[in-house]
Amino acid sequence: MNNLLILIQCKDKVGLVTDITRILALHKLNIIAMREFVDETENKFFTRIACSGIITDKLVLKQELIAVLPIEAKVNLVTKKEKNIAVLVTKEFHCLADLLVRAHFKTLGAVVKCVIGNHSTLQEFAEKMGVPFFYVAHENKSKADFEREMVQLLINYELDYIVLAKFMRILSPEFIQQYPNKIINIHHSFLPAFVGASPYRQAFERGVKIIGATAHFVTNNLDEGPIINQQTIHVNHTLNAKQMAIGGREIEKAVLSKALEQVLEDRVFISGNKTIVFE
Amino acid sequence: MNNLLILIQCKDKVGLVTDITRILALHKLNIIAMREFVDETENKFFTRIACSGIITDKLVLKQELIAVLPIEAKVNLVTKKEKNIAVLVTKEFHCLADLLVRAHFKTLGAVVKCVIGNHSTLQEFAEKMGVPFFYVAHENKSKADFEREMVQLLINYELDYIVLAKFMRILSPEFIQQYPNKIINIHHSFLPAFVGASPYRQAFERGVKIIGATAHFVTNNLDEGPIINQQTIHVNHTLNAKQMAIGGREIEKAVLSKALEQVLEDRVFISGNKTIVFE
Amino acid sequence: MNNLLILIQCKDKVGLVTDITRILALHKLNIIAMREFVDETENKFFTRIACSGIITDKLVLKQELIAVLPIEAKVNLVTKKEKNIAVLVTKEFHCLADLLVRAHFKTLGAVVKCVIGNHSTLQEFAEKMGVPFFYVAHENKSKADFEREMVQLLINYELDYIVLAKFMRILSPEFIQQYPNKIINIHHSFLPAFVGASPYRQAFERGVKIIGATAHFVTNNLDEGPIINQQTIHVNHTLNAKQMAIGGREIEKAVLSKALEQVLEDRVFISGNKTIVFE
Amino acid sequence: MNNLLILIQCKDKVGLVTDITRILALHKLNIIAMREFVDETENKFFTRIACSGIITDKLVLKQELIAVLPIEAKVNLVTKKEKNIAVLVTKEFHCLADLLVRAHFKTLGAVVKCVIGNHSTLQEFAEKMGVPFFYVAHENKSKADFEREMVQLLINYELDYIVLAKFMRILSPEFIQQYPNKIINIHHSFLPAFVGASPYRQAFERGVKIIGATAHFVTNNLDEGPIINQQTIHVNHTLNAKQMAIGGREIEKAVLSKALEQVLEDRVFISGNKTIVFE
C-alpha cells in the first residue's frame, strides 16, 4: 500500500472531477482527501488528490489521466519522498535558525543540503547544526561572478527549492530563470506595501499601525512574484524602525516556515502571478 | 439551469467520491465546488457539492445517491431559498442589531421572522427595523409556561433556525428537543472556559489575557453543544469585568454573524458533539 | 468632584513630568491614569492625564501649565461632554449602520448630528435611526459647488469630527482645510498598499493573502494622512474581488469604530503625519 | 550616566505620582518612560519608571521613596544586568530550541545557565548550543528525591527565573515554594480551559475551533498561577489531537518567548493571582 499525491492543473471543462475519480476507481485507488478549485476568471481547474492503494504503474495512470484532460494539462504524481532545499542568507539568524532547528528535529519536511551566505556570520551556527555552509562574498566581483559561484555550489545538490532566508542581495533574472518556481523569498513587509530596501524604515516613516511579512516565489520583478503566505502584527507609536525590525523577526520566521510547509506538502499551485494554496 | 447543493453524511467506505460523482455526471450536473472530509476516528464521510444543471427530478437523484451510499446515509438536496429565523433576546442590543441590520440590507442570507424578548428593551429597535417583536416576560410564571408562550409564537413561522442573541435564560431540555440542531447560541467566553453565568466576571477574576466568544448549537447540556465558531481578543490588566463585557461585544457579534453565515450557507455538518465546517 | 482630561503636546525637556504633576498636586487634582510618550526622533513630548478633583479655574491651571512648558506647547483641558459628529456616505451601509446603531444605544461616545449622502440609498435607514439625512448629489455640478452645498449643511452643527464612512468622492484641499485634523476616513485596504480606487480589485489582481482596512485623518494627499488604526484578515484564492469586498466590510466597520472610539476618548495625538494613540 | 528602572507596588493613595516624580527630580533623574496603573478593586498602585542620570546612592534614593509611600510598599531599583535562567524540559524540542537560539544570538535578554531534562532527548542539542545539560531521571525514585537532585543542580547558579519549557512533570509545593514568583510555565491550552494532562486531546474531543497556549507563573495549584501571556489560533475539524499538538507548537513557543521577554524586561508585576504587564 502506497500513498500517492495527484496534482492536476488544466483548463476547466465540465465533468473533470468525474472523469478523474473514475480513473482512480479503475486503479482501485482510494481517495483520502481531495481539494479542487476552479478559477472562473481564468477558466482554470486545479486539484490535489491524496490517495492510497497499490500503484502498479504510475506512467500508465498519468497517461490515462492526461487522456481525459484538456490539452496542456499539468499532471504530477508525487510519491512521498523528502525534498531537498538550499538556504541563502546574509547576517540575520532568525529565519535560518528556525529552519535548521526544524530540520535537525526532522519536522521541516525537507533536508537542508547547504547554506550559502554572502557574509560568514551564520557559518558557525549552520555547522553546529551539521549543515555545510559556504561563504560566497559578493564584494569585489560582478553580480554575474557572484551568482556563478553560488550556482556552482548549488548544482551539486538535487534541489527542490532554494529559500532566501533574509538574503539581502537582489538576484539577477539570469540566476532566477535557472530555478523557475523554485526560489522562495521572505520579504519583511506586507506586500505590495514597502517593496525594496528598508521596509521597516519605510513603515516607521509612514506611521503604520501594522507591520508584516510576505513569503513569495521569486520572479524577475523584485518583490512581485506569486504570494504564498502573509501575516501582519500590530505596532504602535512607541516603536522606532529598529524596534519594528526586531519585533518583525517573529512574524518573518513564522510566515516563512508556514509557507515552506505548504510548498513542501505540495499544497501550493502557481497560476500566473498568483498561488492557489490548499490548506 | 439551477444551482443545487448536495449534502451527504454517512459511514465511510472506499469509492464514495467516485460513486457520487458518477451519478452526478449521469444527470449532467456540473460540479462547481466540492468539499469532502473523512473523520477517521469515527469512520464517517461528509461532502458538500455545489453543482449546476437542469435538475428534472430531485427525488430520483436522491434515491440513486442513497442506493450507492452505506445505510443510514443522510442525503440533503438543497435548492437555494431564503431561510427563516427567529431571534431570542434579553436586553443587550449588539448581536440583535447586527443581525437586523444585515437582514434589513439583505445580506444576512435569512429573513428574521420575529424577535422574542424576555424584556421589552429591544422592542423599539426591532420594530424600527420592521420585524415583529414579542415581549414574553419570564417573571411570575414557571419555566414551562414561559417556554410554552414562546413556542406558541414560534410555531407560526416555518423556522429553519432559532438564534439566541444574548438570551440570558436557560432553556429546558423539553424546549430544546423540539428544535434539534436548530438552536444557535452565542456564549460570551471561549468555551469550555467560563461556562454558565457571568463569564466576564469569571475572566476578570482569573486574570486571563484573552477574552472570547463561542457560537454553538444548543443541546441539553448548557454551553456544551457542538461549537461552530470561536474567536478571542487580547485584554490586559487595565480592564475590569464591565469593560471586558463592553469590549467583548465586538467579538460576540462577529462570531455569531460568522457562525450564522456558515450555517445558513449549509456549510456546517453536525457529527456527535462536533461540527464539520466547510469554509 | 469633576473629571478632567489634560492633553499636552510640546517639545521635550528634562523634568516635564515632574513639573506637570507638581502643578496638579498644588491644585489638589488626583491622577487617575497617566500616559506619556517621548518621540526621540522628533524630540517631542506627549501626555494624557486623567484626573479627578474640584477644578475651580481651568484657565489658571492652563496658564500655570503653559508657564512650565516649552514654548508652543499645546495644552488642552477637556471636561467630559458628548462630542458631535457628521457622517458622509455614498451607498454602502455597513459603516454607517454600525455608527448609527451605536449612537442609538448611546455607546458611540458621540451624537451623530446629520448624515450627508451623495446618493439617497441610505436615507431611509438614517431616518429610521432618527438622524437627519441630506441628499447632496455630486452630479451635474462642479466639485466646488458640491462641496459648498455640504459645507452649508455642516456649518449648522458644532461638529467635532466629520467621518467619511465609505464616502466615495475625493474631497478637495479647499474642503479639507476647513476641517484640519477633524476628518476621519476609512480606507478599504492596508495602507500604504492599494491607495485610490478599487483596492479590493487591486488586491485580487495582486493575489495577496490578506486584506485590510485603515482609518486615518484626511489631509490634502489622498490616503496619505496620519493613520489611526489598521487591521488585516486572511483571504485565499477562492475569493474574487467582489467577495473580498463583502468580507472586507466586517473589518472596515471594526477598524472605523475602533479608531473613532480612540479619537472620541481623546486618546489620539497627531504629530506630523503620524499619530500617537494611548490605548 | 546610568539607566535605572524603578519598580514600585504599594497601596494606592492620592498624590503618589507627584511624590515619586518629585524625588526623582531632586536626584536629577530624567524620566524616559513611565507607566502606572491603579487597581481600583484592590486599591493598589503599580509603576515602572525608566530614568537616566547619575545615580550616586541607590540606597538613599530607595529610602526616600519608601518614606513617601504607604507602608509595605515594594520598591525595586534595577540597574540593567543580564539575568540568569535555568530551563527544565522533557522531550519536546520547540520551546527549548527557541530559547537557546535566542540566547546563542544574544537576543534572549538572559543567559541560560543550564538545562535539566527528565529525559536525555534534548541533551545533544543543548550541548551543541554550549549550554550544560543535566539528565535527571524521574523514574525509580520518589518525587522528593527527583526534585532534590534538581535543586542540588540549580543552587549552583544565581538564578533569576526557572522556565518550564514543556516540562511534563508536576512539581511539588515544596519545590515551588523555594522559588516564589520565579518559575514560569508554558501550558498548551488557553487556560482555564483544559487544565492538566493532554490538553490537545481534550480540545480535540470537545471539538473547539481554537487552540492556544498560556504562559504563567507557577504556584501550588496546577495551572492556576498568575497568567502572563496567552494566545489562540484557529483550528478546524480536519485536525486530530496529534495534528493540533503539532500546530500548537508554534504558538507555545511564541507565547513563552513573549512572556519571558516581558518578565526579563521587568514589565510584569504579580498582584494576588493576576499580573500587571506594562507593554
Side-chain angles (χ1 to χ4, degrees), chain D residues 7-56:
Chain D
L7 309 171
I8 298 173
Q9 177 165 2
C10 60
K11 284 188 88 72
D12 190 32
K13 68 166 191 176
V14 172
L16 277 178
V17 172
T18 310
D19 288 346
I20 293 165
T21 56
R22 184 172 38 77
I23 291 169
L24 301 187
L26 290 173
H27 284 257
K28 301 213 185 305
L29 291 168
N30 189 32
I31 296 170
I32 296 165
M34 174 172 178
R35 294 295 300 273
E36 49 75 44
F37 171 65
V38 175
D39 180 337
E40 295 183 0
T41 314
E42 304 287 334
N43 196 38
K44 287 185 189 169
F45 172 86
F46 304 84
T47 193
R48 178 186 187 275
I49 308 173
C51 13
S52 67
I54 299 160
I55 301 117
T56 46

Side-chain angles (χ1 to χ4, degrees), chain A residues 65-89:
Chain A
L65 286 168
I66 286 172
V68 300
L69 298 173
I71 52 163
E72 295 181 9
K74 293 184 203 165
V75 178
N76 203 354
L77 305 192
V78 184
T79 37
K80 197 173 173 66
K81 67 145 190 92
E82 203 145 37
K83 292 184 174 67
N84 294 329
I85 66 170
V87 185
L88 272 52
V89 299

